[in-house]
Amino acid sequence: MKSRLLAIAVLSTLAASAQAQGLSWSAARFYLGAELGQSHTGMDSGGYNQVGPHPNTNEDTDRNNQWDVKAGVEMGRFRFDLGYREYERGKYTTDSFQPPVPTFFYTSKIKSKAWMLSAYYDIVQHNKWSVYGGAGLGQARTDVSTNDTVVQGSGSDTNFAW
């Protein structure tokens, strides 16, 4: 909750600054945006299954799609937007016995999403391109689960994002 209030306060201050420079809501242009992307992530696993007892070892990688949507307003050289980004669930398989003979495996799944309030300032504008700087504040949440058909667990964490 504190991170949301801080983000709203910062963007409100930036919007007031834009208005102080002679920009008004009547000259504002609203926009919607969407982005698609892909990330390549890796997971190094570690830990110890006390039921076995078997160490969780090895590493795995996955290629995941990501997408985001945003709505914003442009006021002269200033832009402000609110965006939501989601990363497709990554799936990783690691050994539940140390090599050379793993006989069953941990399957771990990770999914992340984030809300972000962002502000941009166009430093240089020329025809159809510009050089700009920006910053954003928001909140990110990651959900993790793992299972080796004998033991399983899950958890999530929500943090300040920038």
Side-chain angles (χ1 to χ4, degrees):
M1 183 64 172
K2 287 181 184 179
S3 62
R4 289 183 200 163
L5 292 175
L6 177 62
I8 291 168
V10 169
L11 288 178
S12 297
T13 302
L14 291 171
S17 171
Q19 280 192 312
Q21 292 187 19
L23 303 173
S24 68
W25 285 106
S26 61
R29 296 184 335 178
F30 295 91
Y31 63 89
L32 297 173
E35 297 176 0
L36 296 173
Q38 194 170 74
S39 62
H40 186 90
T41 57
M43 183 180 94
D44 292 327
S45 66
Y48 197 71
N49 175 351
Q50 294 181 7
V51 174
H54 311 293
N56 181 1
T57 63
N58 216 333
E59 60 187 45
D60 195 15
T61 60
D62 197 8
R63 189 173 302 265
N64 307 316
N65 295 323
Q66 62 190 45
W67 58 270
D68 79 21
V69 293
K70 61 177 96 177
V73 61
E74 178 183 348
M75 299 169 67
R77 290 180 177 254
F78 289 92
R79 289 177 283 138
F80 310 95
D81 62 42
L82 173 64
Y84 173 77
R85 173 167 285 183
E86 190 164 306
Y87 298 87
E88 209 174 64
R89 185 176 301 274
K91 185 175 178 183
Y92 309 92
T93 303
T94 56
D95 304 339
S96 100
F97 287 103
Q98 284 186 344
V101 190
T103 56
F104 64 102
F105 304 92
Y106 288 97
T107 300
S108 301
K109 297 176 183 176
I110 300 174
K111 186 172 185 174
S112 298
K113 52 190 164 190
W115 286 94
M116 186 76 64
L117 288 166
S118 300
Y120 308 92
Y121 178 76
D122 292 321
I123 301 164
V124 176
Q125 292 177 320
H126 181 73
N127 293 332
K128 299 217 180 254
W129 64 271
S130 67
V131 176
Y132 65 89
L137 300 172
Q139 187 176 49
R141 178 181 173 93
T142 301
D143 299 307
V144 179
S145 66
T146 191
N147 186 345
D148 75 350
T149 69
V150 176
V151 295
Q152 60 187 7
S154 63
S156 62
D157 197 12
T158 302
N159 287 301
F160 175 72
W162 51 278

